[in-house]
């Protein structure tokens, strides 16, 4: 399927091809292909901590070509940007594990530049967090890195996402340390510790509840 998907993307760009029955059939197959890899990498993310890194890479690293093909279609004129956004978020650990941070940055920027209705606040938060990390690892401390992490933090605050609040605070802290803005870094570290302590207290309270949903607050 990989070669057929990639091979069909070239003629698919032309106007006569887009209006043909073959193009409609191609889009149906391409959508299923993209959805399949979105679901696969949603599962892969769950297995990140459960599997040794070499085992995870052996299982999922070989799929990088499929991910690229699916994203190329998803962000094409006849694709489905919302599927591309979801796959981009799910594939971030793959790019990180393969040390493809330039590619990661480019794909995340592509997802963020797509139609606004292809993303909700949570997706924007996830994309900005990935962009902040990718920018820091490829360009170091720069205004774009600060903007990305700040955007992720502000969205996490607005939707009360404790996990991404901590991720964004940590990214902002590392950037501040690297840029030698030590007072700002100290304030961010103190805020990080306060947020982490609040999560810890919530988890302890949840663990004492006599309920079948014990600990749900800690799991998100």
């Amino acid at each position: 399927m990989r070669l057929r998907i990639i091979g069909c993307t070239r003629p698919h760009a032309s106007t006569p091809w887009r209006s043909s029955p073959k193009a409609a059939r191609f889009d149906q197959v391409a959508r299923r292909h993209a959805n399949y890899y979105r679901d696969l990498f949603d599962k892969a993310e769950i297995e990140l901590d459960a599997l040794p890194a070499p085992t995870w890479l052996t299982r999922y690293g070989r799929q990088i070509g499929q991910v690229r093909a699916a994203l190329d279609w998803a962000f094409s004129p006849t694709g489905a940007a919302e599927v591309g956004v979801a796959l981009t978020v799910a594939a971030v650990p793959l790019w990180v594990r393969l040390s493809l941070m330039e590619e990661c940055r480019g794909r995340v920027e592509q997802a963020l530049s797509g139609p606004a209705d292809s993303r909700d606040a949570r997706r924007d938060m996830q994309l900005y967090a990935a962009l902040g990390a990718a920018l820091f690892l490829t360009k170091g401390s720069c205004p774009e890195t600060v903007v990305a992490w700040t955007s992720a933090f502000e969205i996490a605050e607005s939707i009360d996402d404790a996990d991404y609040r901590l991720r964004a605070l940590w990214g902002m802290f590392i950037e501040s340390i690297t840029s030698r803005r030590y007072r700002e870094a100290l304030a961010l570290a103190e805020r990080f510790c306060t947020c982490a302590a609040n999560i810890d207290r919530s988890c302890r309270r949840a663990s004492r509840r006599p309920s079948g949903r014990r600990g749900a607050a800690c799991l998100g």
Side-chain angles (χ1 to χ4, degrees), residues 86-107:
L87 177 56
T88 300
V89 170
V92 167
L94 177 65
W95 289 309
V96 172
R97 287 281 173 95
L98 292 174
S99 299
L100 297 173
M101 297 312 297
E102 288 281 2
E103 180 175 340
C104 179
R105 189 183 83 192
R107 291 296 191 176

Side-chain angles (χ1 to χ4, degrees), residues 3 9 17 24 26 29 38-39 53-56 76 85 89 120 124 141 154 160 169 176 178 196:
L3 293 177
T9 55
W17 169 263
F26 173 85
V29 173
R38 177 204 60 201
D39 293 343
T55 303
W56 193 94
S76 72
V85 166
V89 170
D120 58 14
D124 275 340
S141 297
E154 289 174 349
D160 195 23
L169 284 170
S176 297
T178 305

